[in-house]
Amino acid sequence: MIENITLITGIPRSGTTLCCNLLNQRDDAVALHEPINPSRLAGGVSAGRAGMEIESIILQLREDIAAGRPFENGDKAGLSIDNPVGLSTKDGKRQVVAQRGLVSIPPRENQHFRLIVKQNALFTSLLTQLEVRFPIVAIVRNPVDVLLSWMTVDLPVNRGRVPAGERFSDFLRNTLLRTDSVFQRQLIIYTWFMQQFIEHELSIVRYEDVVASAGTVLDEALGFQALNRSPLNYQNRQFAPALLDELQSNLTEITKLSRFGLYSEAEIARAMTSAIGAGE
């Protein structure tokens, strides 16, 4: 294992960017929000080659940060972003506000910080290649809240696609191509992420526990001493009745996701009740 580097992956819209924000409140960590642009990886390469290329990119990121050189990040505004999607909408979909670009921070000596790199679909599709070199932590969230978010954001997952994951997972890509229903594709995507995390025996952290503990469970999962932070609050959002009706009509299938053992049937039902209540 490469020392002082940890990877974070997670289900899209499960709070992984918030986790980076929380970790960046530490003096002994630098957490990056999707610094690797999947489209810039060499085209047509094998998963093994992609894993090696990602390792090289991450090591270069650590060197650049240590030396105080500019480095690429998923948001050029800096390291404090906690949600890449804003509140403004277009055609009923919340718009992405994060803009990829170069970031500069004061130099850090290698031995004085842990580098945490977060990418969701890309890292998940390459777990076999990456887990032999890096410790990896996965962030998950109640499927009701995830699916509602996917239905309302201007991201590929809104259409039931995850390009960065499909690029190195033939199974995921082919399964999605055979499925016409957007909602069914979204269920497939959620299931794929959970299966990958469990099959690879990753350390899994629930978003709800991150919020309830103000990040303490995240610190512990990464082997840090807990940091005393201000309390975190859930952001309750209202959703269009049509979306809630669609989710309610498919609640039986959503409830089956309790089989992964991370959210019980009761927790899934409570999330649905809460979403309906917020919309009334």
Side-chain angles (χ1 to χ4, degrees):
M1 289 283 182
I2 297 174
E3 294 184 357
N4 291 329
I5 299 178
T6 300
L7 307 186
I8 286 182
T9 187
I11 296 173
R13 308 297 299 150
S14 65
T16 53
T17 307
L18 170 64
C19 289
C20 288
N21 187 306
L22 295 172
L23 291 168
N24 279 321
Q25 295 174 16
R26 309 186 60 91
D27 294 331
D28 52 356
V30 174
L32 306 184
H33 161 67
E34 302 193 1
I36 303 169
N37 188 342
S39 66
R40 293 185 183 175
L41 296 176
V45 301
S46 65
R49 176 68 182 277
M52 293 173 60
E53 191 171 345
I54 288 172
E55 179 181 331
S56 177
I57 292 171
I58 290 173
L59 292 176
Q60 185 62 54
L61 284 168
R62 182 169 67 178
E63 290 185 15
D64 290 340
I65 292 168
R69 293 189 293 264
F71 58 90
E72 188 167 0
N73 191 48
D75 184 39
K76 64 182 181 181
L79 302 181
S80 60
I81 184 172
D82 63 7
N83 194 334
V85 178
L87 296 177
S88 63
T89 62
K90 181 179 179 181
D91 298 326
K93 300 174 187 176
R94 293 170 56 201
Q95 300 297 294
V96 175
V97 295
Q99 297 181 16
R100 179 174 298 279
L102 295 178
V103 171
S104 295
I105 61 175
R108 303 275 194 110
E109 295 184 14
N110 275 326
Q111 65 270 30
H112 291 163
F113 76 96
R114 172 101 63 86
L115 176 62
I116 297 106
V117 181
K118 186 271 286 190
Q119 303 263 162
N120 291 338
L122 179 63
F123 285 173
T124 301
S125 68
L126 294 168
L127 286 177
T128 298
Q129 292 72 36
L130 297 174
E131 66 185 351
V132 298
R133 301 294 282 159
F134 304 100
I136 305 175
V137 174
I139 311 298
V140 301
R141 190 175 185 180
N142 192 298
V144 169
D145 297 313
V146 169
L147 289 166
L148 278 172
S149 180
W150 289 358
M151 291 175 173
T152 56
V153 295
D154 190 17
L155 292 168
V157 74
N158 175 267
R159 301 176 289 280
R161 303 303 294 266
V162 275
E166 295 175 51
R167 185 171 182 181
F168 295 106
S169 173
D170 292 339
F171 167 80
L172 177 63
R173 181 176 63 257
N174 292 334
T175 304
L176 295 177
L177 287 173
R178 291 194 302 266
T179 306
D180 294 330
S181 164
V182 170
F183 184 78
Q184 290 301 319
R185 290 201 298 269
Q186 291 172 335
L187 283 180
I188 290 167
I189 291 168
Y190 188 97
T191 298
W192 176 75
F193 274 100
M194 294 290 267
Q195 286 176 333
Q196 295 304 304
F197 300 159
I198 291 172
E199 289 176 6
H200 288 268
E201 300 181 343
L202 298 189
S203 174
I204 299 176
V205 177
R206 303 192 333 162
Y207 165 83
E208 295 81 4
D209 298 332
V210 172
V211 173
S213 69
T216 294
V217 297
L218 180 65
D219 292 330
E220 293 173 347
L222 272 72
F224 286 120
Q225 183 175 353
L227 187 67
N228 185 22
R229 301 182 180 87
S230 299
L232 299 174
N233 298 310
Y234 286 102
Q235 293 183 337
N236 293 320
R237 295 193 171 94
Q238 293 185 333
F239 298 94
L243 295 182
L244 295 172
D245 288 345
E246 181 176 6
L247 218 62
Q248 183 71 46
S249 66
N250 289 283
L251 188 57
T252 299
E253 286 190 80
I254 298 170
T255 302
K256 291 178 182 178
L257 295 170
S258 64
R259 68 184 183 274
F260 293 113
L262 291 163
Y263 293 95
S264 67
E265 292 185 9
E267 287 174 314
I268 293 172
R270 280 197 297 270
M272 187 71 245
T273 301
S274 177
I276 293 172
E280 293 177 347

